[in-house]
Amino acid sequence: MPFSIATWNINSVRLRLPLVEQFLRDYQPDVLCLQETKCPDDLFPHKAFRTLGYEHIAISGQKGYHGVATLSRRPLSEVDRIGFCGMGDCRHLSAVVTAGGKRLRIHNFYVPAGGDEPDPEINPKFKHKLGFLEEMKAIIADMGDGCSSVLVGDLNIAPLETDVWSHKQLLTVVSHTPVETEGLEVVRRMGGWSDLIRHHIPPEEKIFTWWSYRARDWEASDRGRRLDHIWGSPDLEGDLSSVAILREARGWDRPSDHVPVIAHFNLD
């Protein structure tokens, strides 16, 4: 059975609702996980998505900041929201969907960006980010409940040298510092997760999913980073058929600085 899941930091779901609607019409993923929705739950645009066939919606939002949402064509069950670092932020949402013969637990994450200064002693935002990574170690792929697992979202870290436009120039820039990249690798390894994007696209190939708003011409300079990720339990590696990164979305009208990433599976 074909099954697809997309992840996209939309940077305000209400502001960019037309872009999400067009994306859903054109690409029709079975599940879309959005981050940085910046929308309290009572103002979330349910009707627009249900009109397009996404009748099953789980949300965790707050006014003006953060927020995650999972939109699905298929029923969602076991919806859960985990708070991290005692901050009260809406940065995680999980739900179970059935496709083919598999039950998939989908974790939707928005990891803190971490501010500009990569020093937890002087930057509380960076300290928060490192603490968040520490608590993410508890999110494991095999919970022993018969579910396969997917973890998607804006993890705000570009772990590999080929995940940034210049490894050397970004070693001291938040999102690619060694403490972050090594920390994320520990989270992935301890959780028993497979980096499905890099399982499909060789690690020697540069991949970007984010380009700064500060660039005068983002496409010409191409100073991107891979901040958006799709991980899975190892049993899904054989089911993965393709991964698409919609680079062209960065050039859409009033775009997010992130672009959608879609993983396609053939599930038994």
Side-chain angles (χ1 to χ4, degrees), residues 19-249:
L19 296 185
V20 184
E21 291 174 315
Q22 189 62 53
F23 170 76
L24 292 175
R25 283 191 291 265
D26 290 348
Y27 294 92
Q28 301 180 14
D30 291 284
V31 176
L32 171 60
C33 293
L34 296 172
Q35 302 87 40
E36 207 172 354
T37 53
K38 297 182 177 179
C39 179
D41 291 353
D42 60 337
L43 295 179
F44 192 83
H46 292 83
K47 183 178 179 180
F49 298 129
R50 288 178 174 143
T51 298
L52 292 171
Y54 292 82
E55 298 182 0
H56 309 282
I57 301 172
I59 54 178
S60 181
Q62 61 190 101
K63 183 179 179 180
Y65 298 95
H66 321 311
V68 289
T70 298
L71 321 176
S72 177
R73 294 178 176 274
R74 303 169 182 271
L76 298 172
S77 63
E78 300 182 40
V79 175
D80 192 21
R81 301 162 183 84
I82 299 176
F84 287 80
C85 303
M87 301 287 287
D89 294 342
C90 296
R91 294 183 176 274
H92 170 268
L93 179 67
S94 67
V96 173
V97 64
T98 299
K102 289 186 183 292
R103 295 178 73 239
L104 299 173
R105 186 179 307 278
I106 300 172
H107 292 276
N108 182 359
F109 267 98
Y110 176 45
V111 173
D116 294 326
E117 180 59 53
D119 184 345
E121 297 300 319
I122 63 174
N123 180 5
K125 291 182 178 180
F126 194 68
K127 183 178 181 180
H128 176 207
K129 185 176 191 176
L130 298 184
F132 196 100
L133 288 176
E134 185 66 27
E135 294 188 13
M136 275 186 73
K137 293 176 183 177
I139 308 298
I140 60 176
D142 184 0
M143 297 179 63
D145 58 359
C147 282
S148 300
S149 295
V150 179
L151 187 158
V152 307
D154 176 8
L155 303 187
N156 261 314
I157 297 172
L160 303 184
E161 293 186 16
T162 48
D163 290 335
V164 293
W165 65 273
S166 172
H167 170 61
K168 290 182 179 180
Q169 293 187 63
L170 291 172
L171 275 172
T172 59
V173 174
V174 172
S175 78
H176 192 60
T177 65
V179 67
E180 294 170 272
T181 59
E182 293 165 11
L184 187 64
E185 176 59 15
V186 170
V187 170
R188 190 191 65 78
R189 189 176 65 250
M190 287 185 61
W193 296 100
S194 171
D195 181 346
L196 293 180
I197 294 178
R198 284 305 186 181
H199 178 75
H200 184 74
I201 302 173
E204 296 78 22
E205 184 176 333
K206 280 188 178 280
I207 305 174
F208 308 144
T209 65
W210 172 92
W211 292 262
S212 174
Y213 284 132
R214 298 174 184 175
R216 289 186 178 180
D217 188 336
W218 70 271
E219 190 167 23
S221 61
D222 201 22
R223 295 188 171 190
R225 308 176 201 175
R226 180 174 74 117
L227 303 181
D228 305 272
H229 298 263
I230 299 177
W231 295 354
S233 48
D235 64 296
L236 292 176
E237 290 181 346
D239 298 323
L240 182 68
S241 57
S242 66
V243 172
I245 298 171
L246 302 187
R247 177 188 172 99
E248 62 271 23

